[in-house]
Amino acid sequence: MGQTKVIAVLNQKGGVGKSTTSINLAAALGAMNKQVLLVDLDPQGNSSSGLGIDKGLVESCIYNVLLDDVPLQDVIIPDVCEGLDVAPATINLAGAEVELVSEMARENRLKDAVGQMRGKYDYIFIDCPPSLGLLTVNALVAADKLLIPIQCEFYALEGVTKLLDSMKRVKTRLNPSLEISGVLLTMYDNRTTLSKQVVDEVKSYFGRTVFNTLIPRTVKLSEAPSYGMPITEYDPRGKGAISYIELAKEVISRG
């Protein structure tokens, strides 16, 4: 086990493939003999349900870690897939944004919890909510790096400057070592001129931080969460699975 890398998957826009990427990248790394923890920090709990976790049966979740000082290891569901453990979210997390406001050291809650897991995993991924509130700030403070999924659609870069401003503020005041791990282009359709234009636009904006791997728009990627499986299990030979395996290799190579 090498040094643990904590990566927040973040874009305040909804529907850009955050949970899809969190689930499938984590599962792909797990299949490569890495030990991975996925922390679901989104009140919608898509990463939890997308991996077959029945949120109605979850007794304590990441909410209890943030607000009741429950140790992170006590809420982890082990071996959801090969090499992959999950710290789930339930609807309780929806209230955390407001409840954290009055708490001491509110921005450091997740960092303290995740810190206890360093050395036990190769990678810890944090699936962030689609907002720039206190939950997301907790993720930015806890993370070493950011992975930013951007959808190959018309308003792809809209709001990204806000996200980068938030990152800079956190970097200046709370987490000076925070860096961008990479920008990931999702829902790519090679038949459309628009997708190709977005790729060019994002690459000219972010340069070499953009991952070479493009995540395609496929029916199987959309279907997999409803079966509670990552794409690497649901359709292991399909182009969705192949692209996330390629992405996992890129993440490893970037260190």
Side-chain angles (χ1 to χ4, degrees), residues 133-156:
L134 261 176
L135 287 174
T136 297
V137 170
N138 261 271
L140 288 168
V141 174
D144 306 317
K145 296 185 175 181
L146 281 189
L147 193 160
I148 305 171
I150 293 182
Q151 187 180 357
C152 291
E153 294 290 349
F154 186 64
Y155 292 115

Side-chain angles (χ1 to χ4, degrees), residues 143-199:
D144 306 317
K145 296 185 175 181
L146 281 189
L147 193 160
I148 305 171
I150 293 182
Q151 187 180 357
C152 291
E153 294 290 349
F154 186 64
Y155 292 115
L157 285 170
E158 188 182 50
V160 169
T161 46
K162 266 190 205 159
L163 170 60
L164 296 178
D165 286 345
S166 296
M167 177 192 164
K168 279 176 193 158
R169 281 203 298 277
V170 169
K171 190 175 165 73
T172 304
R173 296 173 188 170
L174 297 164
N175 184 1
S177 59
L178 185 64
E179 300 291 346
I180 294 178
S181 163
V183 174
L184 176 67
L185 287 151
T186 63
M187 304 181 203
Y188 176 74
D189 185 345
N190 65 3
R191 297 167 301 178
T192 69
T193 306
L194 177 61
S195 272
K196 291 167 185 167
Q197 285 172 341
V198 171
V199 170

Side-chain angles (χ1 to χ4, degrees), residues 27-180:
L29 286 162
M32 292 176 181
N33 296 319
K34 300 294 182 186
Q35 290 300 310
V36 185
L37 172 64
L38 174 53
V39 176
D40 192 348
L41 201 65
D42 186 346
Q44 295 172 46
N46 290 339
S47 279
S48 305
S49 55
L51 284 165
I53 295 165
D54 184 341
K55 290 178 282 189
L57 301 177
V58 172
E59 289 180 12
S60 50
C61 74
I62 199 71
Y63 169 89
N64 306 95
V65 174
L66 295 173
L67 284 145
D68 301 334
D69 294 321
V70 171
L72 183 54
Q73 64 197 43
D74 290 1
V75 308
I76 288 173
I77 299 171
D79 301 320
V80 172
C81 300
E82 184 187 355
L84 176 58
D85 299 349
V86 177
T90 65
I91 196 63
N92 292 348
L93 195 57
E97 202 80 62
V98 175
E99 292 170 61
L100 277 167
V101 170
S102 57
E103 293 290 326
M104 291 283 289
R106 60 194 182 190
E107 294 97 348
N108 292 305
R109 291 300 179 99
L110 187 61
K111 180 184 180 182
D112 294 344
V114 165
Q116 297 164 11
M117 295 290 109
R118 284 186 182 270
K120 297 181 181 177
Y121 293 94
D122 295 299
Y123 293 93
I124 298 175
F125 287 96
I126 306 168
D127 183 17
C128 298
S131 70
L132 292 174
L134 261 176
L135 287 174
T136 297
V137 170
N138 261 271
L140 288 168
V141 174
D144 306 317
K145 296 185 175 181
L146 281 189
L147 193 160
I148 305 171
I150 293 182
Q151 187 180 357
C152 291
E153 294 290 349
F154 186 64
Y155 292 115
L157 285 170
E158 188 182 50
V160 169
T161 46
K162 266 190 205 159
L163 170 60
L164 296 178
D165 286 345
S166 296
M167 177 192 164
K168 279 176 193 158
R169 281 203 298 277
V170 169
K171 190 175 165 73
T172 304
R173 296 173 188 170
L174 297 164
N175 184 1
S177 59
L178 185 64
E179 300 291 346
I180 294 178

